[in-house]
Amino acid sequence: ASDHERDEEEIIQNHLELTEPLLPKSDADDDNLEEEVEDNLPCASRMLFFQSIYFLSGLSASTWGRFGIVYYDQVKHLSSEEIGVLQGLLRLVGFVTLPFWGYIADIIRSRKAVYLFCNSLSMLSLLSLSKAQTFPSILGCVISMASFKSSGVLDAHVLDFLGEKHRSLYGKIRLMTAISWGLGAVVMGWITDEYGFEWNFLLFAIMMSTVLLVTAFGLPARSKKEQAQYDRLNNNGNQDGEMEEISDQPRICTLISSVLRLPVLLWLTEVAVIGAGMSLVDSFLFVFLQDDLKGSTRLCGYSVGVTVLFEVPVFHYSKYLLKEWGHDVLFVVAMVAYVIRAFGYTLLTASTVHWVLALEVLHGITFACMWIASVDYSARVAPEEWSTSFQSVLSMTMSCVGGGVGPIIGGIIMEKYGAEAMFRGMGLAIAIVTCIHLIAWLGFRQGHDAFLHRVSPNESS
């Protein structure tokens, strides 16, 4: 083709992308959308739509999120051990519910339906906390919230949209949650100090309702891959329809065998340990700052805000970091940052409590490095028909297994030996895991990247 013909084709292609609807209907005529995404950069308007959902989700989460601990401590006057039980059960119940809802999304081929259903009931459960007076009633609300956790469902939908070639752009979408989470926490720290927790519940209801409405009216019922699989399963117009339906049903043994591979189990174990460390800080840092060091709720809000200073650039440059650094380097950096942070807490005093802001910057490095590496890892090792379930397994491992064990054990240690012993012990545990990772990776060449290269050598190159 001549240069003129190539220029003409490029102009036509750009015109088609600009005039394409924000979220096209899930019709059979659009079945080739995912293939187009594979070859070209994802449509900017749809990228912006997903970024807006993540931004609103982070904003709604910031209205309660870490401030729930302050509510339990300052308003309900619960002990560290009781707070640990609440935080631990919130995550341990999710050990069952997260993979369950991921499984349902894969079976009915509609992540949107599961996302809306779970988040609606979870929102009502959280709002019911404002009426709970006793520890058993608070515990009931928390268990209800945990029963409808579906963290991984939206991530799987976004990865489906991006396709294999552009999975590394996930970070540019996810960073919007980091921005809104940090900004929202700073504002909520001031609001909570000035007006009390009634505004936390009110703003959470407004923000979360907005997320649900935007998702309900802006997201198609199914992604293109989901629609194609759904159509195949429900195509009874040919004589082989029944056999096709049986053969296309996802096999649970495929998912189980994928998860039970030794390198995958070791990766999940590392994720669980990091999750335990982060949930321990999430559960007790505010209690430590306010009870032991006499910090204000406003300072607590600022401490959340500064966490995004490094989190945002890490998410933004996730494609570069995954390509140039790889999964092993990202995991080691995440764990080293946590170790420095945990031991740093033990050096704080009432007169130096504001130095916690410098330490909290390291959270952004820990979470963002671990998360972009883990989401990409799980997407590469997951069977295509179980992509949502695999993302749910990742979320379950970090938030439920690690996130459940961390607060329960941490609460017991803090109640008996104090916050400094708790932080020092968790820092030591992650330092040991870091050393083991370095030995396996550098000494035996058995790191995460080595396994991914064996699984998908073209992507790892």
Side-chain angles (χ1 to χ4, degrees), residues 414-450:
M414 185 172 180
E415 193 72 21
K416 292 184 177 181
Y417 304 105
E420 291 186 7
M422 177 188 66
F423 289 128
R424 192 177 294 113
M426 195 67 240
L428 180 61
I430 291 189
I432 293 172
V433 173
T434 306
C435 292
I436 295 173
H437 186 123
L438 288 170
I439 292 171
W441 170 36
L442 300 177
F444 296 93
R445 300 288 187 258
Q446 294 297 318
H448 300 320
D449 289 309

Side-chain angles (χ1 to χ4, degrees), residues 43-99:
C43 178
S45 60
R46 287 194 291 278
M47 283 280 289
L48 182 61
F49 175 81
F50 282 117
Q51 286 176 324
S52 68
I53 292 181
Y54 274 77
F55 183 88
L56 291 170
S57 297
L59 204 58
S60 65
S62 70
T63 59
W64 180 255
R66 298 277 292 276
F67 294 103
I69 307 303
V70 180
Y71 182 73
Y72 299 145
D73 181 48
Q74 301 292 326
V75 179
K76 297 303 181 181
H77 305 293
L78 302 181
S79 68
S80 298
E81 197 165 348
E82 288 174 324
I83 293 174
V85 169
L86 290 177
Q87 292 295 98
L89 284 179
L90 176 64
R91 292 163 170 85
L92 287 176
V93 172
F95 179 79
V96 176
T97 59
L98 270 175

Side-chain angles (χ1 to χ4, degrees), residues 102-121:
Y103 173 80
I104 295 298
D106 281 329
I107 290 298
I108 68 174
R109 303 295 201 276
S110 181
R111 301 182 184 108
K112 175 183 175 179
V114 170
Y115 180 83
L116 291 175
F117 175 77
C118 289
N119 281 278
S120 297
L121 293 180

Side-chain angles (χ1 to χ4, degrees), residues 268-286:
L268 289 174
T269 300
E270 205 164 46
V271 169
V273 173
I274 297 174
M278 290 194 299
S279 68
L280 185 144
V281 172
D282 290 347
S283 299
F284 299 112
L285 179 60
F286 285 6

Side-chain angles (χ1 to χ4, degrees), residues 137-158:
S137 62
I138 294 173
L139 182 61
C141 294
V142 168
I143 291 175
S144 179
M145 289 164 52
S147 299
F148 299 103
K149 291 188 68 173
S150 59
S151 305
V153 171
L154 184 59
D155 287 336
H157 197 110
V158 170

Side-chain angles (χ1 to χ4, degrees), residues 61-75 78-80 83-84 87 91 181-182 184-190 192-193 197 200 277-307 341 345 348 353 356-357 359-361 363 414 419-420 422-423:
S62 70
T63 59
W64 180 255
R66 298 277 292 276
F67 294 103
I69 307 303
V70 180
Y71 182 73
Y72 299 145
D73 181 48
Q74 301 292 326
V75 179
L78 302 181
S79 68
S80 298
I83 293 174
Q87 292 295 98
R91 292 163 170 85
W181 166 263
V186 171
V187 175
M188 288 310 302
W190 176 79
T192 303
D193 259 350
F197 270 94
N200 293 70
M278 290 194 299
S279 68
L280 185 144
V281 172
D282 290 347
S283 299
F284 299 112
L285 179 60
F286 285 6
V287 177
F288 174 57
L289 294 178
Q290 293 193 312
D291 292 356
D292 293 5
L293 304 181
K294 309 307 176 185
S296 65
T297 305
R298 195 172 302 185
L299 175 64
C300 293
Y302 292 155
S303 73
V304 177
V306 299
T307 62
R341 180 185 176 203
Y345 293 146
L348 295 175
V353 63
V356 71
L357 300 178
L359 293 173
E360 286 307 275
V361 171
H363 167 79
M414 185 172 180
E420 291 186 7
M422 177 188 66
F423 289 128

